[in-house]
Every structure is written in C-alpha cells, then in structure tokens.
Amino acid sequence: MDAILVVNAGSSSLKFQLFAARADGDFDCLVKGQVDGVGTRPRLKAEGLDKTPLIDQTFPPEKIPDLPAAIHEAGDWLRRTQKVNLIAVGHRVVHGGPDFGRPVRITSEVVAQLERYVSLAPLHQPNNLAPIRALLDRRPELPQVACFDTAFHRDHGALADYYALPERFYKEGVRRYGFHGLSYEYIAQRLPHVAPEIAKGRVIVAHLGSGASMCALSNGRSIESTLGFTALDGLVMGTRPGQLDPGVVLYLIAEKGMSPSAVQDLFYKESGLKGLSGLSNDVRELEKSADSKAAFALEYFVYRAGLYAGMLAAALRGLDAFVFTAGIGENSVTMRARIAETLAWLGVTLDPDANAKRGPRISGKDSLVAVYVIPTNEELMIARHTLEVLSRQRQGEPEKAAG
C-alpha cells in the first residue's frame, strides 16, 4: 500500500499523520500521532484509523533531544509497525516568501531559500526546516514536498498586498503575505459539501487557535487576510500581540534600550493573551479563571475579532457567511457566542442549541448571515498537495516556484 507521511513540526513537538491513497483520489488517515516534550520529557503517542491507541511511550531526554531525533524515532516506529510503501513526505512550512506560491519538491537549494525567511517566522520556520534537513541527510532518495501557509493568499490584488512604503521594499519581498493558508484552503474546499448555498459567496473564515487570523473568501478565493509580512499582525494570539503601532517597536528600541532579539522574544513569546492576563496563553485556562485580568484578556480577544470581522466584511462589500475553525473556533462554545454577539450589526444571530452541539450550522433561523463551525484539516491538505507535486513530476511538468 502506497502512503504519504505528513509532518507538522513545532518548537517542542512533532505532529505526524500517515495517509493511504484511495481509489477515488483522496486519502484515508492510517496513523495520527505526535512526539511531545522534545528535549525535556519526550513522549511518542499515536492512534490508528479507528482511533485505536497504537503507542504511548516516554523516552529519556537524551534519546530525543531535538526535532531531527524526533523524526528519526517516529519514522523508525512507523517503519517497524506500518506495512506501507512510503512514497513521499509532505511538510507544513509557514513562510514561503515571494519565491514560493505553490507546493514544491524539496531540494537543498529550496531549503537554502527558505532559510532566508527564518527571521520572519522565528517560532515556526526553523522547526519546519529541521525535519526536512534530517530526512535529506538520512533518506535523500525519498521525495519531500514543502506546502506553504502563505501560498493560498498569493492571488491577492495589489491593494491588499502592498504596504505604503517605497516600491523598492515590495520588490525585496516586504509585502502582506497572510498565513494559515492551508487551513483556509481546506475550508474553501469543504464549503461546497457542507454549505453549497454560500460556497461561492462572501465568507469570512476565522482560524482561531494559539495562532489566530481571519480570511475573507470570495468565490472560494482569498482576497484579504488579517496577517501580513509576519505572523505577528492582526488578531491577538496566545503569545503574540496582533496589530501593533510600528512606533511601539521604535520606542522599545530607542527609549527602552531593548535589542532587536529582546523585542522579538517579547512579541513572539510574552505578549498576546499571556501578556494581557499574566496567567496563561490558553483560552481554556482563562475561561476557568476568576481573575479579572483573565476576563479582560478574553474580552480583548473578542473585541479585536469583531473589529477585524468588520474590516473583512468591508473588503468583501458585504457578508453571506462566517465560519469558525481551529482549536478555539471549533471547541469553545462561549467564545463563538461572544464573537457572534459582536457581529449582530451585520444581522448575525446564533442558535444556542446548535452552537452547543458544534453545528455545523449554528446561526439562528432569522440570521441574515449563515454561521458555521467546520473543523479544519491542514494535514489532509498537505497530503493532497504532496500527491499533486509527485503527479506533476511524473508527467514531466516543470516546477514553478512563484505563484
């Protein structure tokens, strides 16, 4: 059986899924797992097609000190237990920069290009590239494909793409890229099946998790996003501040004497819900807390989500539907209800019972805007793209990096 391994590497964890191609051209997920606590308390956990537990094993820290070791351990376990013919590995890569507008076959030259964007996504890019390098060293014959979070937004018009800076900066790649594109692309492909009546309409998708953003879809295509040059803009996130006056950066460096690396750490690791609450970056913990700062952090999250929904509705010149997805969007009944309240001016009403049951449609009968909860699946999107890249190469189609 031919299979594709999908890898999504974080700062201290490695998520993976093993997909088998079906006769209809789509995939079944054979194994879903992750290695958590890399370098501290490593733990390999995985489940099968029917969610049957397959392994739950801990390791000493020196056994899995880094992400290359995690991919080696997970790969070794998969080879020993899963009788499949691994034909390729697909990777989530957060930043494709101006050079990559669609998924590409990975080479050492591609990796060198992607390393240029480490400073634009310091929480993600280095970790995305670590297992890629490890597999290039250990399995150079195994095809690897990079799938980019920025690619889905590459068809934005110039008005959405440019910053109001001299043209030379745009040519150097200083532009609004947008992120979470694999998630938005999956939702766009699901809409014709879940909600065909609004699939070609004006839709805002809210990818709300530790990293959060919103995307405006028109006829299934991204026309605007809350994220820009880096993954710091837009909505407040778990540890990132969201929209920030650039003057704050100048003040911290010039007046407070902070180094660029200290400012980077502040913005990526100590801000957002964590910074506002002083307690946690996790919405679940903040919802349980009686602390007034936790309540303020959640109210801030809701307020900013409402503001950006208005911005995207303006970009779409109206709104037909609003979709919640990702960790908070899919699981927090309370946050969905609170955000929906901020959209009442657009004619949004919620059905409390449907919302409690996670929909998929959770809007009230009198709502002028349809509201849905649709689980995302970035890993399946990566598997599909990986197979497409292999198919293009088999047919002799030349690679085109830029979109």
Side-chain angles (χ1 to χ4, degrees):
M1 179 191 304
D2 288 346
I4 289 173
L5 177 64
V6 171
V7 174
N8 187 346
S11 58
S12 62
S13 67
L14 180 86
K15 297 179 182 178
F16 61 90
Q17 292 190 35
L18 189 68
F19 289 93
R22 299 199 308 245
D24 64 1
D26 213 349
F27 295 88
D28 288 320
C29 180
L30 302 177
V31 177
K32 180 178 181 180
Q34 61 188 60
V35 183
D36 284 325
V38 173
T40 55
R41 299 178 63 185
R43 180 185 183 188
L44 171 58
K45 190 175 182 179
E47 61 184 26
L49 184 63
D50 55 357
K51 296 190 177 182
T52 302
L54 299 177
I55 186 174
D56 190 349
Q57 181 178 350
T58 58
F59 301 83
E62 62 272 15
K63 177 70 172 176
I64 306 180
D66 51 29
L67 288 172
I71 190 69
H72 176 74
E73 193 65 42
D76 183 61
W77 175 78
L78 286 168
R79 281 190 296 273
R80 287 187 283 105
T81 62
Q82 306 302 309
K83 307 304 180 184
V84 298
N85 175 38
L86 190 62
I87 61 172
V89 180
H91 298 266
R92 177 193 178 209
V93 178
V94 165
H95 214 306
D99 298 325
F100 298 100
R102 67 174 182 174
V104 295
R105 173 80 177 264
I106 294 170
T107 64
S108 56
E109 290 78 17
V110 167
V111 173
Q113 285 179 274
L114 294 175
E115 285 175 341
R116 295 162 50 198
Y117 312 125
V118 165
S119 65
L120 306 186
L123 289 186
H124 303 90
Q125 201 84 348
N127 304 311
N128 299 157
L129 297 180
I132 290 174
R133 291 194 198 92
L135 285 172
L136 279 175
D137 289 340
R138 292 171 180 160
R139 297 285 306 277
E141 81 289 352
L142 181 64
Q144 296 189 74
V145 174
C147 302
F148 304 101
D149 258 346
T150 50
F152 185 62
H153 306 293
R154 286 299 300 277
D155 290 334
H156 281 182
L159 291 178
D161 211 22
Y162 271 69
Y163 287 110
L165 296 170
E167 177 75 11
R168 66 180 182 276
F169 291 104
Y170 181 85
K171 291 179 178 179
E172 291 173 6
V174 181
R175 60 187 72 173
R176 299 185 68 249
Y177 292 100
F179 298 90
H180 296 132
L182 292 163
S183 176
Y184 293 129
E185 186 177 11
Y186 177 80
I187 297 298
Q189 291 187 8
R190 286 292 296 153
L191 281 175
H193 305 282
V194 177
E197 70 279 6
I198 54 94
K200 294 185 177 181
R202 301 162 298 179
V203 181
I204 294 174
V205 184
H207 178 106
L208 306 179
S210 180
S213 70
M214 291 183 182
C215 176
L217 298 180
S218 178
N219 194 22
R221 297 171 67 87
S222 171
I223 67 162
E224 183 60 273
S225 171
T226 60
L227 282 169
F229 181 56
T230 70
L232 286 173
D233 202 3
L235 304 179
V236 63
M237 296 170 243
T239 60
R240 286 169 270 169
Q243 182 190 30
L244 200 67
D245 183 338
V248 174
V249 182
L250 301 178
Y251 171 80
L252 293 176
I253 293 174
E255 300 297 328
K256 300 294 290 184
M258 294 179 68
S259 67
S261 62
V263 173
Q264 178 173 284
D265 285 345
L266 172 66
F267 288 167
Y268 278 99
K269 300 177 181 179
E270 300 297 330
S271 300
L273 294 177
K274 181 180 178 181
L276 286 172
S277 70
L279 299 171
S280 175
N281 65 329
D282 192 319
V283 164
R284 293 168 296 186
E285 293 183 18
L286 297 177
E287 286 181 325
K288 294 176 184 177
S289 175
D291 193 297
S292 61
K293 290 183 179 179
F296 177 75
L298 293 175
E299 186 63 28
Y300 189 93
F301 185 96
V302 170
Y303 174 68
R304 304 302 293 185
L307 287 181
Y308 273 98
M311 180 195 81
L312 295 181
L316 289 165
R317 309 295 174 88
L319 188 62
D320 300 310
F322 190 96
V323 176
F324 290 98
T325 194
I328 299 168
E330 294 172 25
N331 296 306
S332 179
V333 174
T334 303
M335 294 303 283
R336 287 197 300 266
R338 293 175 67 176
I339 291 170
E341 284 181 14
T342 71
L343 307 179
W345 67 277
L346 286 167
V348 170
T349 64
L350 225 55
D351 179 332
D353 292 335
N355 184 35
K357 296 175 183 177
R358 301 181 185 179
R361 181 161 180 158
I362 63 172
S363 45
K365 293 181 180 179
D366 60 340
S367 184
L368 300 180
V369 175
V371 184
Y372 286 85
V373 180
I374 303 178
T376 193
N377 195 333
E378 295 162 302
E379 288 78 14
L380 179 56
M381 204 71 247
I382 293 169
R384 290 172 178 170
H385 281 311
T386 300
L387 188 60
E388 289 168 4
V389 170
L390 295 183
S391 299
R392 289 203 307 263
Q393 290 201 327
R394 292 189 189 112
Q395 295 167 10
E397 182 181 339
E399 285 290 338
K400 296 178 182 178

